[in-house]
Amino acid sequence: MTRGSVQGEDTREGGSNAPERAEAVRKDDDNAVDGTEDSESAGEEPGGETGREASGETEGAAADEPGGKTSVQAADEPGGKTSGQAADDSGGKPGDDPREKAPGAEDTEEALTETPGRRPCGARRVLRLTAVGLALVLACLAGAGYLYYEHLNGNIQRDALNLGDSKVAAPTPNAAGQTPLNILVIGSDARDSEENQQLGGARETFGSTPLADVQMLVHLSADRSNMSVVSMPRDTLVEIPKCTDPDDGEVYPASDGRVMTNQSLGHGGPGCTVATWQELTGIHIDHFVMVDFAGVVSMADAVGGVPVCVDANIHSRDGQGHGSGLKLAEGTHPVKGEQALQWLRTRYGFEDGSDLARAKAQHMYLNSMVRTLRENATLGNPNKLRRLAEEATAALTVDPGLDTVKKLYDLSDELRRVKPERITMTTMPNRYVGARVEPTEDAEQLFRLVREDIALDGKDAKKKPDPEPTAPADPADPDDELAVQVRNGTRTDELGAAPGRANTVAGLLVDQGFAKAVADSSVLPSEDRTVVRYPSTDLEGDARRVAEVLGIPAGSVLRSTEVSGVTLVVGADWREGTAYKAPEADDSTPESAEALNGADDDACMHVDPSFTWS
């Protein structure tokens, strides 16, 4: 991985889906010039899951079954002991070989006459030679299988899982002892090889610090019945935590304020992207999988054609040479290899030319790929299976928890249990900050559903009880030493702020022994629900204590970089009275997440008329 300082302004940034953002995007110099393709990121690794399945099955078929001690023993026993036993049983004392005796006349006559149950000496030699030969063949196959298994393992690149200082506790197991699984899928725009440079374009960026231009969190439910995917736009503004590269000990300080999330990859590797996600979402991440341009092309070729749809003719190329180069006629067409990469990278020509439109196209491709692999015989064809194994293992960089064919196979085996109709693709709800975006309250709702393992398709068999919160790493200070700011966030689109609410609730806290609780009238936010926010893990215990005293649910205690200390925001759900009554939990997926069901085979990308042809 090439490392270097992260530029303050990413020259390969994308825009948002606002008209003003789309306009800003199209003026960027982040795309290819002189007829080369733009420098947008490779999409989510299209063959990731399938490649892992293939690798795993190759391991099982080529390595484990034929190879190993058991196979050789099975071969040696029939060829050794059984043949010897046949000789022993044919005559004489145990251990005597009748061919070593000097036969008399009677012996010679007996040897020339076939006796029932006895084989001639020549037949015994043939059997013995055949058994030995079979043993050697099986031993060679076992050795070849083992060597191929080790070859596939050697293809896989490894990197540390989490480079940050803070950790997020793993979720509590359900009643059956099962826990959910969270995998961060990263698409790198690295131009660190001739092939990646040719595919990515933007020749001036060769060898520059790679960016995590595609980030998708794959959540597999504890009971393995459903899967949720959350994409984060690459230009989302976040605070990147301090990260330490374990290979050379280099420390990357925390970002000075908020920067684009795709820069996290340049702070020591994918483990810093994992740390950034955990800081923002509070979701424990178990694994990551990273793929680059060349990996996408090779795996898409190995998977084969995946059908995608456009509602008009499209050519993703403008007058300045910006665009992925994708050219398709209206309708549904199978794409693979480099054309699949073009589809996954296209902004110019899809909808408003934003990263959000590109994420939608990536979701359509992935859903279609899952359906395709389940419907055809790709995984039953040994040659295709072998090719998938080769391409998948060579294309991936993973954490140590996924660094063998067996581990990848086990993961793919769990993922493929989920039927397409229980797969939900979403994009993190966001709002504009200039030409960038930031998470909204709906995004926190989406993150909460993932943290609490609530299916995004709304088809959970029954309402799950609220999980018991994990004890904070740092316990709360005594109530009388705990500083709390109280803000009035009762304003809504229809109603103004309820007067005096911050003072009233601050007084309630003082009466409960929180002598340092004060009203903060300098900020008048707008919150639908009352929340307690805290900026760092050392204040989590204090924030939970405030919520407990007022009867605010643990799910409304949130970590946020927007506050400097424990801050209670009185929401529109508490406009009056002195007792807080928590509203019934809303476990529905926000509409702003633009959920796409995995079984929806009618999904079609809208083409910008400026990029059509006839």
Side-chain angles (χ1 to χ4, degrees):
M1 177 180 300
T2 304
R3 301 186 178 92
S5 60
V6 178
Q7 299 176 354
E9 183 67 20
D10 172 19
T11 60
R12 304 196 291 284
E13 300 163 353
S16 181
N17 62 345
E20 64 267 28
R21 183 171 177 228
E23 181 63 26
V25 168
R26 289 175 183 152
K27 293 180 181 178
D28 278 351
D29 61 353
D30 71 331
N31 298 283
V33 293
D34 301 328
T36 59
E37 296 177 0
D38 71 352
S39 64
E40 297 157 358
S41 155
E44 199 271 339
E45 168 257 324
E49 178 187 338
T50 306
R52 291 190 296 272
E53 290 178 25
S55 305
E57 293 188 15
T58 302
E59 170 207 26
D64 289 343
E65 294 175 9
K69 181 178 178 182
T70 304
S71 299
V72 177
Q73 282 179 336
D76 285 341
E77 289 172 10
K81 182 178 177 182
T82 305
S83 298
Q85 237 176 353
D88 291 339
D89 293 341
S90 63
K93 297 178 182 179
D96 291 341
D97 188 339
R99 290 171 297 178
E100 295 175 358
K101 296 180 180 180
E106 292 180 3
D107 294 327
T108 303
E109 182 179 356
E110 181 181 348
L112 294 175
T113 305
E114 285 196 22
T115 304
R118 175 182 294 179
R119 294 186 179 91
C121 294
R124 289 199 300 274
R125 291 192 187 98
V126 171
L127 286 175
R128 182 174 293 175
L129 290 173
T130 301
V132 171
L134 179 60
L136 290 173
V137 169
L138 290 177
C140 289
L141 287 175
Y146 175 78
L147 291 175
Y148 186 64
Y149 173 70
E150 288 303 304
H151 160 72
L152 292 177
N153 283 340
N155 284 345
I156 303 170
Q157 300 180 65
R158 302 155 183 82
D159 217 322
L161 174 61
N162 186 351
L163 304 186
D165 290 338
S166 63
K167 310 298 179 185
V168 174
T172 304
N174 62 16
Q178 303 165 307
T179 54
L181 197 60
N182 295 306
I183 307 106
L184 186 63
V185 178
I186 302 169
S188 164
D189 76 340
R191 289 162 172 79
D192 52 0
S193 68
E194 184 176 343
E195 186 177 8
N196 276 331
Q197 177 61 46
Q198 182 178 2
L199 293 168
R203 288 186 291 272
E204 71 281 1
T205 65
F206 183 80
S208 61
T209 303
L211 300 170
D213 271 358
V214 173
Q215 299 175 32
M216 292 183 177
L217 181 67
V218 177
H219 171 83
L220 184 62
S221 66
D223 63 5
R224 303 308 190 248
S225 68
N226 66 88
M227 187 190 306
S228 304
V229 178
V230 180
S231 290
M232 184 188 295
R234 64 174 178 170
D235 56 357
T236 301
L237 295 176
V238 299
E239 289 193 357
I240 300 175
K242 183 184 80 171
C243 292
T244 304
D245 189 331
D247 294 334
D248 56 16
E250 183 174 357
V251 176
Y252 295 82
S255 60
D256 184 12
R258 297 192 302 173
V259 298
M260 286 174 53
T261 185
N262 64 352
Q263 296 182 22
S264 59
L265 187 59
H267 288 219
C272 195
T273 305
V274 169
T276 301
W277 266 80
Q278 291 196 155
E279 287 280 330
L280 176 67
T281 66
I283 298 170
H284 174 80
I285 295 177
D286 301 282
H287 302 292
F288 75 79
V289 175
M290 185 170 71
V291 65
D292 59 15
F293 293 151
V296 171
V297 171
S298 62
M299 293 177 68
D301 254 342
V303 169
V306 171
V308 294
C309 175
V310 288
D311 67 359
N313 299 342
I314 182 175
H315 187 200
S316 178
R317 184 76 72 201
D318 66 10
Q320 288 73 47
H322 299 154
S324 68
L326 177 71
K327 188 172 184 179
L328 287 174
E330 177 183 352
T332 300
H333 308 275
V335 295
K336 65 179 181 178
E338 188 171 349
Q339 193 175 42
L341 175 64
Q342 290 175 335
W343 175 274
L344 294 165
R345 298 182 63 211
T346 294
R347 282 193 296 116
Y348 292 90
F350 282 161
E351 299 187 350
D352 63 358
S354 72
D355 278 338
L356 303 178
R358 176 163 59 184
K360 185 183 295 186
Q362 292 167 357
H363 295 164
M364 289 184 186
Y365 177 91
L366 294 173
N367 281 339
S368 182
M369 184 186 71
V370 170
R371 293 193 301 268
T372 298
L373 290 174
R374 291 177 71 94
E375 292 167 2
N376 67 23
T378 298
L379 298 182
N381 183 313
N383 290 330
K384 289 185 177 181
L385 191 62
R386 189 178 302 109
R387 187 180 179 195
L388 275 173
E390 286 284 352
E391 301 298 351
T393 53
L396 303 179
T397 299
V398 299
D399 67 276
L402 293 178
D403 64 355
T404 68
V405 172
K406 183 181 187 309
K407 293 174 183 178
L408 287 171
Y409 172 76
D410 289 344
L411 174 62
S412 68
D413 189 48
E414 295 215 64
L415 292 171
R416 67 180 176 181
R417 297 183 198 177
V418 182
K419 297 179 180 179
E421 54 267 25
R422 296 302 313 276
I423 298 174
T424 306
M425 300 275 181
T426 64
T427 300
M428 180 198 78
N430 58 83
R431 57 176 164 246
Y432 308 110
V433 181
R436 309 293 176 233
V437 300
E438 66 181 5
T440 63
E441 291 75 14
D442 280 355
E444 173 52 36
Q445 164 80 345
L446 192 64
F447 299 151
R448 180 184 68 82
L449 295 177
V450 173
R451 285 196 302 267
E452 297 179 9
D453 195 25
I454 297 172
L456 299 187
D457 61 6
K459 297 178 182 177
D460 276 337
K462 58 183 178 179
K463 179 73 173 67
K464 300 178 182 179
D466 292 335
E468 290 293 327
T470 305
D474 192 15
D477 290 335
D479 292 351
D480 59 351
E481 296 180 13
L482 201 160
V484 187
Q485 286 189 333
V486 183
R487 295 174 178 174
N488 185 350
T490 57
R491 177 174 53 87
T492 69
D493 292 339
E494 295 80 21
L495 300 172
R501 291 306 292 162
N503 284 314
T504 299
V505 176
L508 290 175
L509 285 172
V510 171
D511 291 343
Q512 292 285 345
F514 293 84
K516 294 186 177 182
V518 296
D520 177 11
S521 59
S522 64
V523 180
L524 290 176
S526 177
E527 293 285 350
D528 293 334
R529 301 178 66 171
T530 299
V531 295
V532 182
R533 293 194 170 99
Y534 63 96
S536 55
T537 53
D538 60 315
L539 293 177
E540 182 181 1
D542 296 348
R544 288 194 187 182
R545 174 59 183 160
V546 171
E548 178 187 4
V549 168
L550 294 176
I552 298 170
S556 295
V557 180
L558 310 173
R559 184 168 178 175
S560 171
T561 57
E562 297 177 359
V563 297
S564 57
V566 176
T567 303
L568 167 63
V569 183
V570 183
D573 59 347
W574 198 11
R575 289 179 62 87
E576 59 185 20
T578 56
Y580 178 71
K581 183 179 180 181
E584 201 166 318
D586 177 12
D587 291 340
S588 61
T589 301
E591 290 186 11
S592 55
E594 299 189 5
L596 178 66
N597 185 268
D600 184 0
D601 55 5
D602 293 326
C604 202
M605 285 303 296
H606 174 64
V607 175
D608 181 345
S610 301
F611 289 84
T612 193
W613 52 274
S614 57

